[in-house]
Amino acid sequence: MFFLILILGIISGSSFLAITALGGNNIEFIINGGYILGNIPLRIDSLSGWMILIINITMLTGVLYGRKYIEHYKTIRANIKLHLSLIVIFHISMVLVCVVQNFLAFLVVWEIMAVSSFLLVIFEYWKKETIKAGMNYLIQSHIGILFLTIAFIWVISITGSYDFKSIETFSTQVSPAFGITLFVLLMIGFGFKAGLVPFHTWLPYAHPAAPSHISGMMSGVIIKMGIFGILRSLLLIKGNYLIIGEIILTVSVVSGLYGVILAIVQHNLKKLLAYHSIENIGIIGIGIGIGTIGLGLNNTFLAIAGFAGGLLHILNHSLFKSLLFYGAGSIYQETGTLNIEKLGGLIKSMPQTAAMFLIASLSICGLPPFNGFVSEFLIYSGLFAGLKTGSFALSLFLILVIIGLVLIGGLALLCFTKAFGIIFLGSARSEYPRKPKEVQTAMLIPQYIITSIILAIGLFPQLFMMLVLNPVSLFVPAIKTSGASIYFSQISILSNIGIAGAIIIALSAGIYFIKLKVQKNKVIETSPTWGCGYTAPTSRMQYTASSFVKTYSSLVKPILITKKKEAKTTNIFLVETEHSSGTYDKIEHYLIDRNIKAFKKFLYKFDFLQNGRIPSYVLYGLLFILLIILVSYSEDLTKLIFNFF
């Protein structure tokens, strides 16, 4: 399976290298889709190539990790074979999404991607919560497809063409307001897949329900298909980029803030990471929004910094988020739980997993010298440059965006301080089924590969910024002419930061090895640390995940819905009981739950139809046949009535 994915990766990934070598020129094929689909153009430009490169990296590391992770389910071999086959279909469908540019064919491959990923999510189909999460994901995927279909039909009705290029023709033929409306329809359709707020509610259920390698793939690449769709729409729609950019920025800042606010209060590790996917999609969106505003203002630096930061963060997020999910999978296999409240002290038994989880945590917080810093630095550069545009209203808007991005970074730091500290430091807060140990080497290798790329981007950003040059040039052609000096100045700044980071790491490693050398022949005595006066400390005398963020939770209480579960007992003697509390997504409550409840209430009004009486069901059938006949002859009946009068 790994070699099949590797071959697919080499074949599809070579397209990016070919385009890079050709200086950004597109590769195009036309295939015959028969009477129904007609001619189907397959176009690979720099944007498609960049996304395919990211897909291949994530899929290869995911399959490397998953082929050993899945051995945990060795009792269901038939399911494993189907699961592995679906991964190949899933991979092919994502690559096709990046290259197919016929509306009908695109919807077909988009549907294949949705269904294959749904089947991968419900691998543990015997669990009720897994099926519920999978159905939630599948339904919301199809709501997104509905919006895409409406947008495509609108374009076809105006232009008569199924080719993606007709979107550009459409935007030039209609008023600017209709162009913006079309973009909003496409953004909603692709936004469901990307997990933008308020279309995000499937993520916190699908990610925890799926096996960890699938969670890594979904967060690493499938939600990026939504971002790819938005970027492709921007390339084709010629409209008021200033308004479009402000729409993207507003939705993205709300997504980033809302995602991280909810992430902090989660107790399930994979649910916490799922909300951070929403947060990082927000950061990517901020970069794209800044770039779009730059196009609207004809501000080359703004456009370059925004699109370069956004495109690079797509790669960065796929790396550190998949690494975090693989770490979560390793923790789950060794402890049997993802409840942060029950974990602790794992750094002693799983030091390699802890080290890589820490690097991924620092990366997602945007700290140097790791990859997250590079892309966020570019986005910040664009935001600060936007303050010099001269428009007071826009400057005020960008100040609010900067404040939002700062809050996102600060809250992410709080969240991962909690997550790493509670999971890996201290001592275990509960009894594990068996003593945890480091996972097998085959599961560590893909994590080391990702860690190496994370460090490479952080220490040598110039290499990866050159890779993203061609995709950015699709949006900002001036990057290769008048904007080249601006772009290379940013590369120079980040290179210097990378060199400083490399020196710090080298010095730290040097000091550590000197310490080991000095202590090599010394006898080291170990004893318990001071217990603050307690002679018999227990694991309960530690911070829990809830207590660590208690002050924060009280501050954001108005935004959250808190649900408490208390075990009731009538016993007058003290017995062991369990109380728990958790938070619930307010948007999900008001936007989904209440509407579903109202819809059910409406359907219950027709309960009388399902009465169990055979004559009633026969009558329904006769009425249906009569309706079909009336519809078939409706035109003749209409003419007859008009002639009569």
Side-chain angles (χ1 to χ4, degrees):
M1 182 59 60
F2 169 73
F3 291 107
L4 181 56
I5 295 288
L6 180 62
I7 291 166
L8 286 170
I10 291 169
I11 294 170
S12 58
S14 60
S15 61
F16 180 71
L17 297 175
I19 291 169
T20 304
L22 293 169
N25 295 330
N26 299 348
I27 300 171
E28 183 173 344
F29 301 97
I30 302 292
I31 61 172
N32 188 355
Y35 177 75
I36 296 174
L37 296 177
N39 289 333
I40 302 173
L42 304 180
R43 298 189 184 101
I44 307 175
D45 57 11
S46 301
L47 178 61
S48 301
W50 178 250
M51 295 303 300
I52 290 169
L53 182 70
I54 295 169
I55 289 167
N56 289 336
I57 291 170
T58 307
M59 292 300 295
L60 284 168
T61 54
V63 170
L64 262 178
Y65 178 87
R67 65 177 185 166
K68 287 299 177 184
Y69 179 89
I70 211 75
E71 286 181 0
H72 183 68
Y73 303 93
K74 56 188 175 184
T75 54
I76 46 172
R77 290 191 179 277
N79 288 2
I80 291 174
K81 289 179 181 178
L82 174 63
H83 181 78
L84 295 173
S85 301
L86 285 167
I87 289 175
V88 177
I89 296 170
F90 177 53
H91 186 191
I92 294 170
S93 66
M94 284 192 293
V95 171
L96 288 174
V97 162
C98 294
V99 301
V100 170
Q101 294 201 8
N102 171 286
F103 292 140
L104 197 53
F106 180 85
L107 288 173
V108 170
V109 294
W110 190 269
E111 177 70 11
I112 293 169
M113 180 180 71
V115 173
S116 60
S117 55
F118 158 71
L119 294 171
L120 289 169
V121 167
I122 61 165
F123 177 72
E124 295 180 324
Y125 60 87
W126 55 89
K127 295 180 179 178
K128 183 180 177 181
E129 60 272 18
T130 299
I131 292 295
K132 187 177 178 182
M135 291 306 297
N136 187 346
Y137 166 61
L138 189 65
I139 290 168
Q140 294 202 44
S141 291
H142 282 85
I143 295 172
I145 290 171
L146 176 63
F147 278 93
L148 293 178
T149 304
I150 292 169
F152 292 159
I153 289 172
W154 190 14
V155 174
I156 294 165
S157 67
I158 299 294
T159 64
S161 172
Y162 285 77
D163 195 311
F164 268 37
K165 286 183 177 179
S166 61
I167 294 177
E168 186 175 348
T169 307
F170 172 92
S171 62
T172 56
Q173 289 181 353
V174 299
S175 66
F178 282 160
I180 293 169
T181 305
L182 177 65
F183 176 78
V184 169
L185 282 173
L186 291 169
M187 186 175 175
I188 292 172
F190 290 122
F192 272 98
K193 189 64 71 181
L196 288 168
V197 173
F199 319 117
H200 67 285
T201 53
W202 63 269
L203 261 88
Y205 296 101
H207 283 7
S212 285
H213 58 289
I214 300 301
S215 300
M217 293 174 190
M218 290 186 72
S219 186
V221 286
I222 195 168
I223 61 175
K224 307 303 179 357
M225 294 296 97
I227 294 294
F228 169 77
I230 293 170
L231 286 167
R232 180 63 69 198
S233 303
L234 281 172
L235 279 174
L236 295 169
I237 293 175
K238 307 301 179 187
N240 190 326
Y241 286 122
L242 192 58
I243 294 175
I244 291 173
E246 288 171 351
I247 292 170
I248 296 171
L249 266 182
T250 303
V251 174
S252 300
V253 172
V254 171
S255 298
L257 276 172
Y258 195 72
V260 74
I261 285 170
L262 280 170
I264 294 172
V265 293
Q266 301 305 317
H267 299 325
N268 182 296
L269 178 56
K270 285 176 75 174
K271 201 166 187 178
L272 178 151
L273 296 176
Y275 275 112
H276 271 289
S277 292
I278 299 167
E279 171 228 328
N280 276 272
I281 286 296
I283 293 173
I284 293 167
I286 290 171
I288 295 169
I290 286 295
T292 308
I293 287 175
L295 294 179
L297 296 172
N298 291 318
N299 187 317
T300 305
F301 179 77
L302 205 62
I304 290 173
F307 284 117
L311 286 166
L312 200 54
H313 203 75
I314 294 173
L315 171 62
N316 290 338
H317 177 252
S318 71
L319 293 167
F320 55 63
K321 185 51 69 66
S322 57
L323 181 56
L324 286 166
F325 271 115
Y326 301 157
S330 301
I331 291 166
Y332 177 68
Q333 285 209 343
E334 291 304 312
T335 64
T337 183
L338 287 168
N339 189 339
I340 299 172
E341 300 282 23
K342 295 182 179 180
L343 297 168
L346 292 179
I347 196 169
K348 303 178 188 73
S349 53
M350 304 177 71
Q352 296 178 71
T353 299
M356 287 185 281
F357 194 96
L358 178 61
I359 288 171
S361 299
L362 294 171
S363 302
I364 199 172
C365 293
L367 297 176
F370 304 103
N371 64 342
F373 170 79
V374 176
S375 47
E376 289 194 33
F377 176 86
L378 290 169
I379 294 170
Y380 271 113
S381 299
L383 284 168
F384 283 112
L387 298 177
K388 303 172 185 176
T389 55
S391 167
F392 175 77
L394 182 60
S395 297
L396 183 61
F397 177 62
L398 292 180
I399 287 170
L400 293 175
V401 174
I402 291 169
I403 293 170
L405 190 55
V406 169
L407 283 172
I408 290 168
L411 293 174
L413 197 57
L414 170 65
C415 186
F416 280 97
T417 302
K418 178 197 87 168
F420 184 83
I422 301 298
I423 294 169
F424 292 103
L425 305 182
S427 55
R429 290 165 176 79
S430 64
E431 291 290 330
Y432 300 134
R434 57 186 172 84
K435 187 178 179 181
K437 63 181 188 302
E438 193 58 82
V439 293
Q440 52 190 314
T441 306
M443 289 173 68
L444 289 171
I445 288 172
Q447 296 182 64
Y448 275 118
I449 292 170
I450 297 171
T451 303
S452 301
I453 302 172
I454 286 172
L455 289 170
I457 295 173
L459 298 175
F460 310 105
Q462 62 273 22
L463 302 177
F464 295 86
M465 287 184 70
M466 290 306 297
L467 279 178
V468 86
L469 177 66
N470 280 331
V472 175
S473 69
L474 290 176
F475 300 91
V476 197
I479 194 173
K480 292 186 175 180
T481 54
S482 59
S485 59
I486 297 171
Y487 193 65
F488 284 102
S489 68
Q490 294 298 300
I491 291 177
S492 177
I493 293 167
L494 285 166
S495 298
N496 291 334
I497 295 171
I499 292 168
I503 292 169
I504 291 169
I505 290 174
L507 285 172
S508 301
I511 292 168
Y512 177 73
F513 285 116
I514 290 168
K515 175 178 173 285
L516 289 179
K517 187 109 175 148
V518 170
Q519 292 181 342
K520 187 176 181 182
N521 298 320
K522 286 189 175 182
V523 177
I524 300 173
E525 295 182 4
T526 58
S527 61
T529 55
W530 181 53
C532 302
Y534 291 95
T535 55
T538 68
S539 60
R540 293 171 64 87
M541 297 177 189
Q542 302 180 94
Y543 268 113
T544 61
S546 299
S547 60
F548 188 87
V549 294
K550 186 177 180 181
T551 305
Y552 163 83
S553 299
S554 62
L555 288 172
V556 297
K557 194 173 182 180
I559 304 174
L560 308 173
I561 296 175
T562 304
K563 292 187 174 182
K564 293 183 178 181
K565 291 182 181 178
E566 296 185 4
K568 294 181 179 179
T569 178
T570 56
N571 199 318
I572 61 172
F573 298 103
L574 186 64
V575 294
E576 185 176 339
T577 58
E578 187 173 323
H579 304 284
S580 63
S581 64
T583 57
Y584 192 71
D585 191 334
K586 221 166 194 175
I587 290 178
E588 184 175 2
H589 173 71
Y590 286 106
L591 197 64
I592 296 177
D593 294 349
R594 293 183 70 171
N595 288 327
I596 289 175
K597 190 177 179 181
F599 184 61
K600 282 182 177 179
K601 191 176 180 180
F602 171 74
L603 290 179
Y604 286 148
K605 293 181 185 297
F606 300 93
D607 251 1
F608 67 91
L609 295 172
Q610 195 77 11
N611 52 31
R613 297 172 61 186
I614 293 175
S616 298
Y617 297 150
V618 172
L619 178 63
Y620 300 156
L622 290 172
L623 290 172
F624 180 74
I625 292 169
L626 180 62
L627 181 65
I628 295 296
I629 293 169
L630 288 172
V631 170
S632 301
Y633 291 96
S634 59
E635 189 176 345
D636 294 335
L637 285 171
T638 305
K639 287 179 180 178
L640 185 66
I641 291 166
F642 274 111
N643 290 334
F644 179 79
F645 288 102

